[in-house]
Amino acid sequence: MIISDQSPVRFSDPLPDQVDVVIIGAGVIGISTAWFLCKRGVSVFVCEKGRVAGEQSSRNWGWVRQQGRDAAELPIAIDSIDTWARLSEETGEDLGFTREGVLYLADDDKKLAGFEDWLEIAKQHQLDSRILTSAQVDELITDNAGHWRGALYTASDGRAEPFKAVPGIARAVQRAGGAIRENCAVRTIDSEAGRVTGVVTELGRIRAQSVVCAAGAWSSLFAGNLDIKLPQLSVRATVARTAPTADVFSGNAAADDIAFRRRMDGGYTVAASGMNEHFVGADSFRYFFKFLPSLFSSSRYLKLRFGDGSGEGLMKRLLPTRKWNEVDISPFEQNRVLNPPPSPIAIRQMHDRLGRHLPSLAGITFEEAWAGMIDVLPDVVPVMDKVDSHPGLFLATGFSGHGFGIGPGAGRVMADMVQGRPAVHDLNRFRLSRFTDGSKIIPGPGL
Ligand SMILES: Cc1cc2nc3c(=O)[nH]c(=O)nc-3n(C[C@H](O)[C@H](O)[C@H](O)COP(=O)(O)OP(=O)(O)OC[C@H]3O[C@@H](n4cnc5c(N)ncnc54)[C@H](O)[C@@H]3O)c2cc1C
């Protein structure tokens, strides 16, 4: 069910000569930004080098979560989940959104005590987060091995079905007057007198007053070609889905070693928590010191790998093409959809751990396994900002392992920014300059 470069092309609107806004990348961030702009009557063209939601936005767990967020992200996440709740009706699409709650499971008192800190933040935002006892966890997870000490629970959290949701919103963008083109890589931007005037795609030029780069794991490469510094790395995360099975838990749960959630099709999406793999390449050395603080704080959940498992090729990672011009075939055309192979170790761990925690699912078949490359910035929170050195260019990237849920909220933020409307949220933490102005890097709560 994952979307890859073998999937049929579904969005092939003709290239316009001119629009108000070009968006680079048709993941949840680019498509949500397009949605808000179109609804406000702005003309938008979304260029996607591969397939709509082909990369992170269809490969994720599908959690739409407020719980455990960075304090600066939380107001946007709250806004976002309300938007998700309205989107199905507004778009007329089945996005698979339900509010089944998010559960962080604790297997000891220390972990449980750590969850208490979050309640303070939750209280400030009138969130319904609470601590559950072991017996209360048993009521939610009906077939569990009974060893959870308790959990942090936010009943108003939810999920959507990633492989359906973003393509669904994309169709609604088209109906609202926007246009989207797959197999259309943006090579670079066009400028006149120091101001952005459009983009150069592999299919030709488009003139535009504003350009939003929402290129996920490719953003740093795109920005670097324009001499914009964006320290960004990627980690591989492996996921699997089971065959349809008994409903032992209808929400989203994560423990230190496993995460699982009920799917619309009656199966479970499963992942081995803590198996985020970074494949060391040239950028790992380039950005090493910037990432050092988050490397310390998240070392338990990160594995360094020296082989080739990112789907890019080892030599390419070590010696990437960093500069090209508008007539060159760009790296974006050479890799339409980043489709790394899933980790066999992670799949084995999921099998073992699922059976250990949910005995009735022991030995269940995984119908499909896949992986995605999560893009991360040094403080594990995104950039949502204008680029001062290139007036007319905006950047929305680095959403780490939590960009799907906040996607519609971030889309509204970016639409406001592009239109020059006053920001509804405090966006200081998300400014681009924090990586170059000597600011201290303060890692958020994690990937
Ligand atoms: C395994 C996994 C599990 C996750 N679980 C969750 C979860 O449960 N909840 C949650 O909130 N988040 C989760 N995430 C994170 C979430 O999926 C991402 O943060 C989010 O999808 C990022 O969206 P995006 O639009 O920024 O990037 P992407 O979805 O990666 O989209 C970027 C797009 O830009 C295109 N592109 C790049 N360069 C160009 C170019 N030059 N021209 C044209 N197109 C270009 C790419 O092809 C791509 O389609 C998970 C991620 C993974 C991989």
Side-chain angles (χ1 to χ4, degrees):
M1 263 198 238
I2 59 160
I3 300 170
S4 75
D5 53 5
Q6 303 303 309
S7 306
V9 168
R10 291 181 288 183
F11 297 87
S12 53
D13 291 319
L15 226 63
D17 292 330
Q18 182 158 4
V19 282
D20 295 330
V21 182
V22 166
I23 295 176
I24 307 173
V28 68
I29 304 301
I31 291 295
S32 299
T33 305
W35 168 247
F36 283 103
L37 288 171
C38 287
K39 281 203 314 173
R40 296 171 187 173
V42 177
S43 66
V44 176
F45 194 82
V46 183
C47 298
E48 167 53 54
K49 70 179 171 61
R51 298 290 182 276
V52 168
E55 298 197 345
Q56 298 171 86
S57 293
S58 67
R59 292 162 187 261
N60 61 70
W61 301 353
W63 291 32
V64 177
R65 158 176 80 80
Q66 307 154 99
Q67 178 170 299
R69 288 272 179 183
D70 182 271
E73 272 190 351
L74 185 56
I76 306 173
I78 293 172
D79 180 34
S80 196
I81 199 163
D82 290 342
T83 306
W84 274 110
R86 283 192 309 271
L87 265 177
S88 294
E89 204 175 314
E90 286 183 12
T91 60
E93 298 278 345
D94 177 9
L95 311 177
F97 177 76
T98 57
R99 289 186 190 254
E100 304 283 358
V102 157
L103 203 57
Y104 283 179
L105 296 158
D107 42 20
D108 59 38
D109 287 338
K110 191 170 163 224
K111 181 102 188 167
L112 205 53
F115 290 157
E116 302 269 355
D117 298 344
W118 167 254
L119 293 184
E120 275 312 303
I121 299 176
K123 227 182 277 164
Q124 288 164 24
H125 295 271
Q126 292 87 47
L127 266 190
D128 55 341
S129 306
R130 61 196 166 105
I131 299 289
L132 300 188
T133 63
S134 182
Q136 287 170 320
V137 172
D138 290 349
E139 281 168 26
L140 287 177
I141 307 179
T142 52
D143 169 56
N144 87 58
H147 47 228
W148 304 114
R149 280 295 292 129
L152 175 64
Y153 181 54
T154 304
S156 60
D157 275 343
R159 56 106 164 130
E161 285 297 345
F163 70 98
K164 293 178 80 168
V166 177
I169 305 169
R171 286 189 291 272
V173 165
Q174 287 179 312
R175 288 194 294 273
I180 302 168
R181 179 81 178 224
E182 295 179 326
N183 279 347
C184 181
V186 175
R187 291 178 173 167
T188 189
I189 56 168
D190 253 342
S191 312
E192 276 168 31
R195 202 193 184 284
V196 170
T197 54
V199 294
V200 183
T201 79
E202 62 181 304
L203 304 174
R205 294 189 129 78
I206 307 172
R207 289 185 68 78
Q209 285 155 23
S210 306
V211 174
V212 179
C213 176
W218 301 86
S219 306
S220 178
L221 193 61
F222 188 87
N225 194 43
L226 302 170
D227 295 322
I228 300 163
K229 284 197 176 59
L230 179 70
Q232 182 181 42
L233 296 175
S234 298
V235 296
R236 178 175 75 172
T238 296
V239 193
R241 67 179 170 88
T242 71
T245 185
D247 186 357
V248 295
F249 171 61
S250 56
N252 313 280
D256 263 354
D257 62 347
I258 191 137
F260 48 94
R261 74 146 175 105
R262 184 83 171 158
R263 299 167 57 87
M264 270 177 95
D265 60 14
Y268 282 89
T269 293
V270 187
S273 319
M275 261 299 274
N276 300 305
E277 301 169 289
H278 175 62
F279 291 85
V280 174
D283 283 348
S284 322
F285 295 102
R286 187 173 290 119
Y287 302 135
F288 177 76
F289 288 106
K290 294 257 184 250
F291 276 85
L292 211 50
S294 61
L295 208 58
F296 275 123
S297 60
S298 60
S299 57
R300 284 180 64 198
Y301 303 104
L302 190 68
K303 308 276 175 288
L304 294 183
R305 301 277 187 248
F306 294 91
D308 176 21
S310 63
E312 291 171 295
L314 182 63
M315 286 319 291
K316 218 168 180 183
R317 278 189 297 113
L318 289 174
L319 300 167
T321 317
R322 301 212 70 83
K323 289 279 178 185
W324 61 91
N325 62 41
E326 62 181 62
V327 295
D328 296 330
I329 293 180
S330 68
F332 315 114
E333 293 143 82
Q334 291 164 358
N335 192 332
R336 292 280 170 201
V337 178
L338 203 46
N339 187 17
S343 153
I345 304 173
I347 295 170
R348 256 198 322 275
Q349 288 177 344
M350 286 177 216
H351 259 296
D352 295 350
R353 295 171 185 178
L354 197 61
R356 185 152 25 97
H357 294 305
L358 305 176
S360 66
L361 301 194
I364 193 165
T365 310
F366 287 160
E367 296 211 319
E368 190 180 19
W370 65 90
M373 298 303 289
I374 301 179
D375 68 295
V376 196
L377 299 177
D379 43 11
V380 209
V381 291
V383 162
M384 292 184 268
D385 204 357
K386 57 185 173 17
V387 182
D388 290 335
S389 57
H390 294 69
L393 178 64
F394 298 81
L395 204 49
T397 192
F399 286 82
S400 309
H402 39 260
F404 180 68
I406 207 173
R412 190 198 302 268
V413 165
M414 292 313 298
D416 287 348
M417 197 183 288
V418 168
Q419 289 190 286
R421 293 187 181 191
V424 175
H425 305 288
D426 180 356
L427 302 177
N428 186 47
R429 177 129 167 87
F430 310 116
R431 70 198 191 284
L432 175 62
S433 64
R434 69 191 193 264
F435 301 124
T436 48
D437 66 5
S439 298
K440 190 166 177 225
I441 303 283
I442 303 167
L447 201 69

